[in-house]
């Protein structure tokens, strides 16, 4: 896959899955804009990519704020050119159990994950329309669309909501040649997941047929596919990247493997 001459903008690109997407697109010739609320990590990621020959800029942007995203989109166009590939990846996943979940907990997660997706697409749509091969890749999750986990009802609602958005957006944007697809990661070893502890990791690994958590690159490769020239006739689709985690119909299925 070659992305030479194309511009990729990646929200939440300072760390984790978004950082791997930024690195993988840059390694294949794309000019990459990292959009994130964490300027220290974002600048460090962009700098490291430039040092290895990549064309990367960091732009501070909050996906939950339309004016911030419009400003960021303008800065991408000025510094790299019009965006061809938009990875809507920024997301947060604080755990909160229903009995203690506050309205603020609910709103915070929805502001970033769901409203943030809409505002990101809205801000970049004028640029994507000008591209010969506009691509939108959403980072959803298995949690919500396919599975559930205590403490993530609000999170799961946003990740399932992203797919609801995708289905209509894919139809609306087809006339511009823009595809809209989603990657659904399982448990991926990122900075965001890092705090969650050794016991969680051990238990999770035990129920994944591949017996390991995913790497950010595993998800980035799925995003590269959706953004590739060859995927131009694929829209409104999902790709699960979970090492087989959702497959076992019970713990019996994992015995003796
Ligand atoms: P991560 O390591 O926490 O990185 C996410 C980045 O997004 C961070 O730099 C974060 O900054 C930034 N961010 C947070 N709020 C933002 C906002 N309002 N505007 C712009 N940037 C913002 O997360 P990750 O694990 O790579 O997850 C990336 C995406 O994958 C998320 O959408 C997540 O739901 C999804 N996902 C992850 C997993 C997993 O196992 N890791 C599984 C399924 C789906 P701060 O650190 O300063 O908040």
């Amino acid at each position: 896959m070659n992305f030479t001459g194309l511009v990729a903008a990646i929200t939440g690109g300072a760390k984790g899955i978004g950082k791997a997407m930024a690195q993988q697109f840059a390694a294949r010739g794309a000019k990459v804009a990292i959009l994130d609320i964490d300027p220290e990590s974002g600048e460090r990621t962009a700098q490291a990519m430039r040092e290895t020959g990549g064309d990367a800029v960091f732009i501070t942007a909050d996906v939950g704020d339309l004016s911030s995203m419009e400003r960021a989109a303008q800065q991408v166009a000025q510094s790299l050119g019009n965006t061809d590939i938009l990875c809507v990846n920024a997301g947060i996943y604080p755990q909160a159990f229903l009995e203690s979940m506050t309205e603020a907990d609910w709103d915070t997660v929805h502001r970033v994950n769901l409203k943030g997706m809409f505002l990101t697409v809205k801000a970049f749509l004028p640029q994507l329309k000008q591209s010969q091969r506009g691509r939108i890749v959403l980072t959803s999750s298995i949690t919500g669309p396919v599975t559930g986990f205590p403490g993530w009802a609000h999170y799961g609602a946003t990740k399932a909501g992203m797919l609801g958005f995708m289905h209509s957006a894919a139809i609306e944007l087809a006339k511009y040649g823009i595809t809209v697809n989603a990657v659904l990661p399982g448990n991926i070893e990122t900075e965001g997941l890092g705090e969650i502890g050794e016991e969680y990791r051990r238990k999770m690994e035990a129920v994944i047929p591949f017996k390991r958590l995913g790497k950010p690159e595993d998800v980035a490769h799925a995003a590269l596919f959706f953004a590739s020239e060859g995927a131009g006739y694929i829209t409104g689709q999902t790709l699960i990247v979970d090492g087989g985690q959702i497959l076992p119909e019970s713990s019996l299925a994992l015995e003796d493997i």
Side-chain angles (χ1 to χ4, degrees), residues 186-189 201-219 221 241-245:
N187 276 256
I188 311 299
E189 220 161 330
R201 165 205 290 279
R202 202 174 36 73
K203 286 184 176 165
M204 269 299 165
E205 283 174 347
V207 297
I208 298 170
F210 267 71
K211 300 293 179 208
R212 67 167 176 88
L213 300 193
K215 299 197 232 8
E217 291 71 27
D218 293 323
V219 184
H221 289 136
V241 185
D242 73 341
Q245 186 179 330

PDB file of all heavy atoms in Angstrom, residues 186-189 201-219 221 241-245:
ATOM      1  N   GLY A 186     -10.326  -5.097  19.663  1.00  0.00           N
ATOM      2  CA  GLY A 186     -10.572  -5.804  20.915  1.00  0.00           C
ATOM      3  C   GLY A 186      -9.769  -5.121  22.004  1.00  0.00           C
ATOM      4  O   GLY A 186      -9.808  -3.894  22.128  1.00  0.00           O
ATOM      5  N   ASN A 187      -9.042  -5.892  22.794  1.00  0.00           N
ATOM      6  CA  ASN A 187      -8.209  -5.295  23.851  1.00  0.00           C
ATOM      7  C   ASN A 187      -6.811  -5.030  23.306  1.00  0.00           C
ATOM      8  O   ASN A 187      -6.066  -5.964  23.018  1.00  0.00           O
ATOM      9  CB  ASN A 187      -8.132  -6.237  25.054  1.00  0.00           C
ATOM     10  CG  ASN A 187      -9.331  -6.043  25.960  1.00  0.00           C
ATOM     11  OD1 ASN A 187      -9.250  -5.443  27.017  1.00  0.00           O
ATOM     12  ND2 ASN A 187     -10.481  -6.534  25.519  1.00  0.00           N
ATOM     13  N   ILE A 188      -6.483  -3.768  23.180  1.00  0.00           N
ATOM     14  CA  ILE A 188      -5.223  -3.374  22.539  1.00  0.00           C
ATOM     15  C   ILE A 188      -4.320  -2.718  23.579  1.00  0.00           C
ATOM     16  O   ILE A 188      -4.792  -1.868  24.360  1.00  0.00           O
ATOM     17  CB  ILE A 188      -5.477  -2.370  21.378  1.00  0.00           C
ATOM     18  CG1 ILE A 188      -6.590  -2.891  20.440  1.00  0.00           C
ATOM     19  CG2 ILE A 188      -4.188  -2.082  20.615  1.00  0.00           C
ATOM     20  CD1 ILE A 188      -6.316  -4.201  19.743  1.00  0.00           C
ATOM     21  N   GLU A 189      -3.061  -3.103  23.541  1.00  0.00           N
ATOM     22  CA  GLU A 189      -2.128  -2.599  24.537  1.00  0.00           C
ATOM     23  C   GLU A 189      -1.699  -1.164  24.210  1.00  0.00           C
ATOM     24  O   GLU A 189      -0.823  -0.960  23.377  1.00  0.00           O
ATOM     25  CB  GLU A 189      -0.899  -3.493  24.556  1.00  0.00           C
ATOM     26  CG  GLU A 189      -0.416  -3.720  25.924  1.00  0.00           C
ATOM     27  CD  GLU A 189       0.471  -4.936  26.016  1.00  0.00           C
ATOM     28  OE1 GLU A 189       0.292  -5.894  25.239  1.00  0.00           O
ATOM     29  OE2 GLU A 189       1.341  -4.908  26.860  1.00  0.00           O
ATOM     30  N   ARG A 201      -4.986  -7.850  32.531  1.00  0.00           N
ATOM     31  CA  ARG A 201      -4.254  -8.302  31.354  1.00  0.00           C
ATOM     32  C   ARG A 201      -4.206  -9.849  31.293  1.00  0.00           C
ATOM     33  O   ARG A 201      -4.518 -10.467  30.282  1.00  0.00           O
ATOM     34  CB  ARG A 201      -2.833  -7.754  31.369  1.00  0.00           C
ATOM     35  CG  ARG A 201      -1.903  -8.465  30.363  1.00  0.00           C
ATOM     36  CD  ARG A 201      -0.471  -8.343  30.808  1.00  0.00           C
ATOM     37  NE  ARG A 201      -0.040  -6.974  30.663  1.00  0.00           N
ATOM     38  CZ  ARG A 201       0.360  -6.454  29.496  1.00  0.00           C
ATOM     39  NH1 ARG A 201       0.421  -7.199  28.428  1.00  0.00           N
ATOM     40  NH2 ARG A 201       0.728  -5.204  29.419  1.00  0.00           N
ATOM     41  N   ARG A 202      -3.856 -10.460  32.430  1.00  0.00           N
ATOM     42  CA  ARG A 202      -3.714 -11.912  32.480  1.00  0.00           C
ATOM     43  C   ARG A 202      -5.050 -12.605  32.173  1.00  0.00           C
ATOM     44  O   ARG A 202      -5.116 -13.526  31.373  1.00  0.00           O
ATOM     45  CB  ARG A 202      -3.207 -12.306  33.880  1.00  0.00           C
ATOM     46  CG  ARG A 202      -2.525 -13.655  33.970  1.00  0.00           C
ATOM     47  CD  ARG A 202      -1.935 -13.897  35.347  1.00  0.00           C
ATOM     48  NE  ARG A 202      -2.702 -13.353  36.484  1.00  0.00           N
ATOM     49  CZ  ARG A 202      -3.851 -13.847  36.936  1.00  0.00           C
ATOM     50  NH1 ARG A 202      -4.374 -14.909  36.378  1.00  0.00           N
ATOM     51  NH2 ARG A 202      -4.478 -13.281  37.965  1.00  0.00           N
ATOM     52  N   LYS A 203      -6.105 -12.077  32.763  1.00  0.00           N
ATOM     53  CA  LYS A 203      -7.428 -12.681  32.546  1.00  0.00           C
ATOM     54  C   LYS A 203      -7.886 -12.495  31.103  1.00  0.00           C
ATOM     55  O   LYS A 203      -8.505 -13.381  30.521  1.00  0.00           O
ATOM     56  CB  LYS A 203      -8.446 -12.063  33.506  1.00  0.00           C
ATOM     57  CG  LYS A 203      -8.267 -12.563  34.935  1.00  0.00           C
ATOM     58  CD  LYS A 203      -9.353 -12.014  35.832  1.00  0.00           C
ATOM     59  CE  LYS A 203      -9.252 -12.578  37.239  1.00  0.00           C
ATOM     60  NZ  LYS A 203     -10.044 -11.831  38.204  1.00  0.00           N
ATOM     61  N   MET A 204      -7.614 -11.320  30.539  1.00  0.00           N
ATOM     62  CA  MET A 204      -7.999 -11.040  29.157  1.00  0.00           C
ATOM     63  C   MET A 204      -7.242 -11.944  28.200  1.00  0.00           C
ATOM     64  O   MET A 204      -7.828 -12.532  27.284  1.00  0.00           O
ATOM     65  CB  MET A 204      -7.713  -9.579  28.802  1.00  0.00           C
ATOM     66  CG  MET A 204      -8.872  -8.680  29.056  1.00  0.00           C
ATOM     67  SD  MET A 204     -10.283  -9.213  28.045  1.00  0.00           S
ATOM     68  CE  MET A 204     -11.578  -8.318  28.838  1.00  0.00           C
ATOM     69  N   GLU A 205      -5.936 -12.066  28.419  1.00  0.00           N
ATOM     70  CA  GLU A 205      -5.121 -12.900  27.522  1.00  0.00           C
ATOM     71  C   GLU A 205      -5.634 -14.332  27.505  1.00  0.00           C
ATOM     72  O   GLU A 205      -5.620 -15.000  26.470  1.00  0.00           O
ATOM     73  CB  GLU A 205      -3.652 -12.871  27.960  1.00  0.00           C
ATOM     74  CG  GLU A 205      -2.967 -11.585  27.558  1.00  0.00           C
ATOM     75  CD  GLU A 205      -1.558 -11.447  28.100  1.00  0.00           C
ATOM     76  OE1 GLU A 205      -1.163 -12.223  29.001  1.00  0.00           O
ATOM     77  OE2 GLU A 205      -0.850 -10.537  27.632  1.00  0.00           O
ATOM     78  N   ALA A 206      -6.123 -14.774  28.669  1.00  0.00           N
ATOM     79  CA  ALA A 206      -6.588 -16.164  28.780  1.00  0.00           C
ATOM     80  C   ALA A 206      -7.833 -16.427  27.927  1.00  0.00           C
ATOM     81  O   ALA A 206      -8.075 -17.559  27.517  1.00  0.00           O
ATOM     82  CB  ALA A 206      -6.877 -16.486  30.240  1.00  0.00           C
ATOM     83  N   VAL A 207      -8.629 -15.378  27.645  1.00  0.00           N
ATOM     84  CA  VAL A 207      -9.862 -15.615  26.875  1.00  0.00           C
ATOM     85  C   VAL A 207      -9.748 -15.179  25.405  1.00  0.00           C
ATOM     86  O   VAL A 207     -10.738 -15.151  24.680  1.00  0.00           O
ATOM     87  CB  VAL A 207     -11.090 -14.935  27.531  1.00  0.00           C
ATOM     88  CG1 VAL A 207     -11.346 -15.534  28.914  1.00  0.00           C
ATOM     89  CG2 VAL A 207     -10.920 -13.419  27.628  1.00  0.00           C
ATOM     90  N   ILE A 208      -8.540 -14.843  25.006  1.00  0.00           N
ATOM     91  CA  ILE A 208      -8.335 -14.477  23.597  1.00  0.00           C
ATOM     92  C   ILE A 208      -7.658 -15.668  22.912  1.00  0.00           C
ATOM     93  O   ILE A 208      -6.596 -16.110  23.351  1.00  0.00           O
ATOM     94  CB  ILE A 208      -7.443 -13.214  23.481  1.00  0.00           C
ATOM     95  CG1 ILE A 208      -8.124 -12.018  24.149  1.00  0.00           C
ATOM     96  CG2 ILE A 208      -7.117 -12.906  22.012  1.00  0.00           C
ATOM     97  CD1 ILE A 208      -7.244 -10.788  24.297  1.00  0.00           C
ATOM     98  N   PRO A 209      -8.284 -16.230  21.868  1.00  0.00           N
ATOM     99  CA  PRO A 209      -7.672 -17.383  21.204  1.00  0.00           C
ATOM    100  C   PRO A 209      -6.193 -17.169  20.844  1.00  0.00           C
ATOM    101  O   PRO A 209      -5.407 -18.096  20.931  1.00  0.00           O
ATOM    102  CB  PRO A 209      -8.546 -17.572  19.965  1.00  0.00           C
ATOM    103  CG  PRO A 209      -9.896 -17.132  20.425  1.00  0.00           C
ATOM    104  CD  PRO A 209      -9.625 -15.950  21.320  1.00  0.00           C
ATOM    105  N   PHE A 210      -5.790 -15.949  20.479  1.00  0.00           N
ATOM    106  CA  PHE A 210      -4.382 -15.691  20.166  1.00  0.00           C
ATOM    107  C   PHE A 210      -3.506 -15.563  21.419  1.00  0.00           C
ATOM    108  O   PHE A 210      -2.293 -15.412  21.321  1.00  0.00           O
ATOM    109  CB  PHE A 210      -4.237 -14.449  19.270  1.00  0.00           C
ATOM    110  CG  PHE A 210      -4.216 -14.779  17.806  1.00  0.00           C
ATOM    111  CD1 PHE A 210      -5.369 -15.212  17.161  1.00  0.00           C
ATOM    112  CD2 PHE A 210      -3.051 -14.696  17.061  1.00  0.00           C
ATOM    113  CE1 PHE A 210      -5.358 -15.551  15.814  1.00  0.00           C
ATOM    114  CE2 PHE A 210      -3.030 -15.038  15.714  1.00  0.00           C
ATOM    115  CZ  PHE A 210      -4.191 -15.466  15.086  1.00  0.00           C
ATOM    116  N   LYS A 211      -4.141 -15.559  22.592  1.00  0.00           N
ATOM    117  CA  LYS A 211      -3.437 -15.534  23.886  1.00  0.00           C
ATOM    118  C   LYS A 211      -2.526 -14.323  24.069  1.00  0.00           C
ATOM    119  O   LYS A 211      -1.485 -14.397  24.729  1.00  0.00           O
ATOM    120  CB  LYS A 211      -2.603 -16.820  24.090  1.00  0.00           C
ATOM    121  CG  LYS A 211      -3.430 -18.092  24.084  1.00  0.00           C
ATOM    122  CD  LYS A 211      -4.356 -18.165  25.284  1.00  0.00           C
ATOM    123  CE  LYS A 211      -5.199 -19.433  25.255  1.00  0.00           C
ATOM    124  NZ  LYS A 211      -6.475 -19.286  25.928  1.00  0.00           N
ATOM    125  N   ARG A 212      -2.895 -13.231  23.458  1.00  0.00           N
ATOM    126  CA  ARG A 212      -2.178 -11.982  23.695  1.00  0.00           C
ATOM    127  C   ARG A 212      -3.126 -10.825  23.432  1.00  0.00           C
ATOM    128  O   ARG A 212      -4.099 -10.964  22.686  1.00  0.00           O
ATOM    129  CB  ARG A 212      -0.938 -11.850  22.801  1.00  0.00           C
ATOM    130  CG  ARG A 212      -1.229 -11.694  21.306  1.00  0.00           C
ATOM    131  CD  ARG A 212       0.011 -11.249  20.536  1.00  0.00           C
ATOM    132  NE  ARG A 212      -0.204 -11.168  19.095  1.00  0.00           N
ATOM    133  CZ  ARG A 212      -0.671 -10.096  18.441  1.00  0.00           C
ATOM    134  NH1 ARG A 212      -1.008  -8.995  19.107  1.00  0.00           N
ATOM    135  NH2 ARG A 212      -0.823 -10.106  17.137  1.00  0.00           N
ATOM    136  N   LEU A 213      -2.836  -9.683  24.072  1.00  0.00           N
ATOM    137  CA  LEU A 213      -3.588  -8.475  23.724  1.00  0.00           C
ATOM    138  C   LEU A 213      -3.115  -8.017  22.346  1.00  0.00           C
ATOM    139  O   LEU A 213      -2.039  -8.407  21.884  1.00  0.00           O
ATOM    140  CB  LEU A 213      -3.333  -7.367  24.746  1.00  0.00           C
ATOM    141  CG  LEU A 213      -3.713  -7.646  26.204  1.00  0.00           C
ATOM    142  CD1 LEU A 213      -3.696  -6.342  27.003  1.00  0.00           C
ATOM    143  CD2 LEU A 213      -5.100  -8.284  26.321  1.00  0.00           C
ATOM    144  N   GLY A 214      -3.929  -7.166  21.705  1.00  0.00           N
ATOM    145  CA  GLY A 214      -3.532  -6.653  20.395  1.00  0.00           C
ATOM    146  C   GLY A 214      -2.479  -5.572  20.528  1.00  0.00           C
ATOM    147  O   GLY A 214      -2.319  -4.954  21.586  1.00  0.00           O
ATOM    148  N   LYS A 215      -1.751  -5.357  19.431  1.00  0.00           N
ATOM    149  CA  LYS A 215      -0.803  -4.244  19.386  1.00  0.00           C
ATOM    150  C   LYS A 215      -1.471  -3.109  18.604  1.00  0.00           C
ATOM    151  O   LYS A 215      -2.276  -3.373  17.693  1.00  0.00           O
ATOM    152  CB  LYS A 215       0.470  -4.668  18.655  1.00  0.00           C
ATOM    153  CG  LYS A 215       1.238  -5.822  19.300  1.00  0.00           C
ATOM    154  CD  LYS A 215       2.635  -5.838  18.734  1.00  0.00           C
ATOM    155  CE  LYS A 215       3.178  -7.085  18.160  1.00  0.00           C
ATOM    156  NZ  LYS A 215       2.585  -8.288  17.905  1.00  0.00           N
ATOM    157  N   PRO A 216      -1.128  -1.867  18.914  1.00  0.00           N
ATOM    158  CA  PRO A 216      -1.714  -0.762  18.157  1.00  0.00           C
ATOM    159  C   PRO A 216      -1.550  -0.940  16.642  1.00  0.00           C
ATOM    160  O   PRO A 216      -2.451  -0.616  15.869  1.00  0.00           O
ATOM    161  CB  PRO A 216      -0.926   0.451  18.658  1.00  0.00           C
ATOM    162  CG  PRO A 216      -0.533   0.075  20.056  1.00  0.00           C
ATOM    163  CD  PRO A 216      -0.269  -1.396  20.021  1.00  0.00           C
ATOM    164  N   GLU A 217      -0.431  -1.522  16.229  1.00  0.00           N
ATOM    165  CA  GLU A 217      -0.177  -1.737  14.794  1.00  0.00           C
ATOM    166  C   GLU A 217      -1.206  -2.693  14.185  1.00  0.00           C
ATOM    167  O   GLU A 217      -1.540  -2.581  13.002  1.00  0.00           O
ATOM    168  CB  GLU A 217       1.225  -2.313  14.547  1.00  0.00           C
ATOM    169  CG  GLU A 217       2.365  -1.368  14.836  1.00  0.00           C
ATOM    170  CD  GLU A 217       2.569  -1.108  16.322  1.00  0.00           C
ATOM    171  OE1 GLU A 217       2.206  -1.988  17.152  1.00  0.00           O
ATOM    172  OE2 GLU A 217       3.069  -0.023  16.662  1.00  0.00           O
ATOM    173  N   ASP A 218      -1.693  -3.649  14.988  1.00  0.00           N
ATOM    174  CA  ASP A 218      -2.693  -4.592  14.461  1.00  0.00           C
ATOM    175  C   ASP A 218      -3.925  -3.813  13.970  1.00  0.00           C
ATOM    176  O   ASP A 218      -4.517  -4.153  12.942  1.00  0.00           O
ATOM    177  CB  ASP A 218      -3.136  -5.582  15.556  1.00  0.00           C
ATOM    178  CG  ASP A 218      -2.011  -6.523  15.973  1.00  0.00           C
ATOM    179  OD1 ASP A 218      -1.226  -6.945  15.113  1.00  0.00           O
ATOM    180  OD2 ASP A 218      -1.932  -6.843  17.184  1.00  0.00           O
ATOM    181  N   VAL A 219      -4.297  -2.794  14.722  1.00  0.00           N
ATOM    182  CA  VAL A 219      -5.470  -1.993  14.347  1.00  0.00           C
ATOM    183  C   VAL A 219      -5.113  -1.037  13.200  1.00  0.00           C
ATOM    184  O   VAL A 219      -5.894  -0.847  12.262  1.00  0.00           O
ATOM    185  CB  VAL A 219      -6.003  -1.196  15.555  1.00  0.00           C
ATOM    186  CG1 VAL A 219      -7.268  -0.445  15.176  1.00  0.00           C
ATOM    187  CG2 VAL A 219      -6.261  -2.116  16.741  1.00  0.00           C
ATOM    188  N   HIS A 221      -3.132  -1.479  10.798  1.00  0.00           N
ATOM    189  CA  HIS A 221      -3.105  -2.164   9.498  1.00  0.00           C
ATOM    190  C   HIS A 221      -4.511  -2.280   8.901  1.00  0.00           C
ATOM    191  O   HIS A 221      -4.676  -2.204   7.683  1.00  0.00           O
ATOM    192  CB  HIS A 221      -2.445  -3.536   9.637  1.00  0.00           C
ATOM    193  CG  HIS A 221      -0.964  -3.434   9.864  1.00  0.00           C
ATOM    194  ND1 HIS A 221      -0.292  -4.190  10.790  1.00  0.00           N
ATOM    195  CD2 HIS A 221      -0.039  -2.625   9.311  1.00  0.00           C
ATOM    196  CE1 HIS A 221       0.984  -3.859  10.773  1.00  0.00           C
ATOM    197  NE2 HIS A 221       1.162  -2.902   9.891  1.00  0.00           N
ATOM    198  N   VAL A 241     -10.771  -6.398  14.929  1.00  0.00           N
ATOM    199  CA  VAL A 241      -9.341  -6.714  15.105  1.00  0.00           C
ATOM    200  C   VAL A 241      -9.165  -7.105  16.570  1.00  0.00           C
ATOM    201  O   VAL A 241      -8.923  -6.250  17.428  1.00  0.00           O
ATOM    202  CB  VAL A 241      -8.469  -5.483  14.761  1.00  0.00           C
ATOM    203  CG1 VAL A 241      -6.990  -5.852  14.824  1.00  0.00           C
ATOM    204  CG2 VAL A 241      -8.818  -4.906  13.391  1.00  0.00           C
ATOM    205  N   ASP A 242      -9.337  -8.404  16.864  1.00  0.00           N
ATOM    206  CA  ASP A 242      -9.395  -8.797  18.281  1.00  0.00           C
ATOM    207  C   ASP A 242      -8.744 -10.138  18.607  1.00  0.00           C
ATOM    208  O   ASP A 242      -8.972 -10.679  19.693  1.00  0.00           O
ATOM    209  CB  ASP A 242     -10.868  -8.821  18.754  1.00  0.00           C
ATOM    210  CG  ASP A 242     -11.625 -10.011  18.187  1.00  0.00           C
ATOM    211  OD1 ASP A 242     -11.154 -10.598  17.185  1.00  0.00           O
ATOM    212  OD2 ASP A 242     -12.677 -10.364  18.737  1.00  0.00           O
ATOM    213  N   GLY A 243      -7.960 -10.686  17.675  1.00  0.00           N
ATOM    214  CA  GLY A 243      -7.308 -11.974  17.940  1.00  0.00           C
ATOM    215  C   GLY A 243      -8.291 -13.100  18.210  1.00  0.00           C
ATOM    216  O   GLY A 243      -7.946 -14.091  18.842  1.00  0.00           O
ATOM    217  N   GLY A 244      -9.518 -12.926  17.747  1.00  0.00           N
ATOM    218  CA  GLY A 244     -10.531 -13.971  17.913  1.00  0.00           C
ATOM    219  C   GLY A 244     -11.301 -13.877  19.217  1.00  0.00           C
ATOM    220  O   GLY A 244     -12.070 -14.783  19.560  1.00  0.00           O
ATOM    221  N   GLN A 245     -11.156 -12.754  19.915  1.00  0.00           N
ATOM    222  CA  GLN A 245     -11.744 -12.637  21.261  1.00  0.00           C
ATOM    223  C   GLN A 245     -13.254 -12.873  21.313  1.00  0.00           C
ATOM    224  O   GLN A 245     -13.765 -13.423  22.277  1.00  0.00           O
ATOM    225  CB  GLN A 245     -11.407 -11.248  21.831  1.00  0.00           C
ATOM    226  CG  GLN A 245     -11.841 -11.063  23.266  1.00  0.00           C
ATOM    227  CD  GLN A 245     -11.470  -9.685  23.788  1.00  0.00           C
ATOM    228  OE1 GLN A 245     -10.484  -9.103  23.353  1.00  0.00           O
ATOM    229  NE2 GLN A 245     -12.255  -9.166  24.699  1.00  0.00           N
TER     230      GLN A 245
END
